[in-house]
Amino acid sequence: MGREFLSLFDQWASSYDDTVNGHDEQYEEVFRHYPAILKEIVKRSGKCVLEFGSGTGNLTEALLAAGKQVFGVEPSQAMREAALQKGVPNVLHDGDFLTFPEPPFKPDTIVSSYAFHHLTDEEKKQAIHIYSNILQSDGKIVFADTMFQNQAAHHAEIEKAKAAGFDQLAEDLETEYYPSIDVLKKIFEEEGFSTSFQQMNDFVWIVAAKKWE
Ligand SMILES: C[S@@+](CC[C@H](N)C(=O)[O-])C[C@H]1O[C@@H](n2cnc3c(N)ncnc32)[C@H](O)[C@@H]1O
């Protein structure tokens, strides 16, 4: 479910870390402040963390280094292998945002970076519904991802990418399911969460969602 972009990630796995380190001009702004973005997620996380879309395990590593227990879920085998190869502990499991193995603990935090936009808005709602039932009672969700203030802002970034000759970025912005902040806020609220949003660069925001008491 929501795995339609998987072959892209199998191909991208070997060079993914070069991209996050700013070596791909088209994605430079998307990954600007990447280490600070991961750090902010770690800072906002509790002790028992369920992570989705772990990729090559950069956030996983940062969470583990901060002493947290992590259960990672990543559908791309090539990404999981790339993580293992660079020494990330074996905490990543095959699965996706909607269908995943049961973690050995009840999470107090569910995190994700640069991945939630692979789900349609309907699938995002299904995912948040599932998470609402598995989180500890005072649990929270902390997601960093590309999102936009509104449709006009989304459209403006597509035009900017095209004008700069960033065709891959433009196609990505046109085809994947980047949400507007209002839509995401509504999805969380309908599932019983209050939200706050923090902008990290021109594309990426962190949404932190807490269950209402
Ligand atoms: C841009 S990478 C982000 C990796 C990592 N979280 C980071 O911050 O560097 C997106 C990841 O989401 C994964 N992914 C794609 N579709 C997914 C889905 N439906 N459920 C969970 N993860 C998914 C991809 O395989 C890929 O590893």
Side-chain angles (χ1 to χ4, degrees):
M1 292 271 268
R3 289 176 172 225
E4 67 213 74
F5 303 106
L6 210 53
S7 61
L8 285 178
F9 288 102
D10 282 338
Q11 290 161 31
W12 197 7
S14 58
S15 62
Y16 180 75
D17 282 346
D18 289 337
T19 306
V20 305
N21 289 326
H23 293 200
D24 181 339
E25 195 190 7
Q26 299 206 24
Y27 285 88
E28 210 176 317
E29 178 58 26
V30 175
F31 289 103
R32 186 161 61 91
H33 305 316
Y34 178 76
I37 291 168
L38 303 192
K39 207 168 160 189
E40 185 62 30
I41 299 175
V42 174
K43 197 175 100 188
R44 291 165 178 248
S45 295
K47 288 204 167 330
C48 302
V49 183
L50 172 59
E51 182 195 8
F52 288 99
S54 313
T56 57
N58 296 326
L59 176 59
T60 321
E61 266 187 318
L63 289 161
L64 290 168
K68 297 168 195 306
Q69 193 177 0
V70 183
F71 187 90
V73 175
E74 168 53 54
S76 157
Q77 188 180 352
M79 283 287 189
R80 293 196 307 274
E81 280 171 6
L84 276 180
Q85 252 172 31
K86 69 180 194 192
V88 177
N90 192 6
V91 297
L92 304 187
H93 306 264
D94 187 16
D96 58 58
F97 277 109
L98 295 171
T99 309
F100 52 93
E102 194 180 338
F105 53 78
K106 202 167 169 62
D108 56 31
T109 317
I110 298 179
V111 303
S112 180
S113 52
Y114 292 87
F116 200 44
H117 64 272
H118 296 115
L119 301 190
T120 63
D121 287 347
E122 184 51 42
E123 288 168 334
K124 288 184 187 84
K125 191 167 161 50
Q126 287 172 30
I128 301 306
H129 184 74
I130 296 170
Y131 306 159
S132 163
N133 290 320
I134 62 172
L135 270 171
Q136 290 181 20
S137 56
D138 59 346
K140 59 191 159 186
I141 296 173
V142 185
F143 285 175
D145 205 359
T146 290
M147 58 190 83
F148 296 100
Q149 293 271 21
N150 49 45
Q151 284 192 346
H154 187 170
H155 188 72
E157 284 299 342
I158 294 170
E159 292 309 313
K160 208 167 124 188
K162 285 181 179 165
F166 293 168
D167 295 340
Q168 196 187 338
L169 175 63
E171 190 190 333
D172 179 355
L173 292 173
E174 277 179 322
T175 52
E176 302 198 11
Y177 309 117
Y178 297 104
S180 71
I181 286 176
D182 280 355
V183 168
L184 206 52
K185 192 168 186 282
K186 186 161 175 275
I187 290 173
F188 275 111
E189 282 178 0
E190 284 174 357
E191 295 301 329
F193 290 86
S194 59
T195 51
S196 66
F197 292 82
Q198 180 182 356
Q199 187 164 17
M200 304 303 288
N201 62 36
D202 286 357
F203 293 91
V204 175
W205 294 66
I206 290 180
V207 53
K210 256 191 88 57
K211 281 171 92 170
W212 278 313
E213 305 294 321

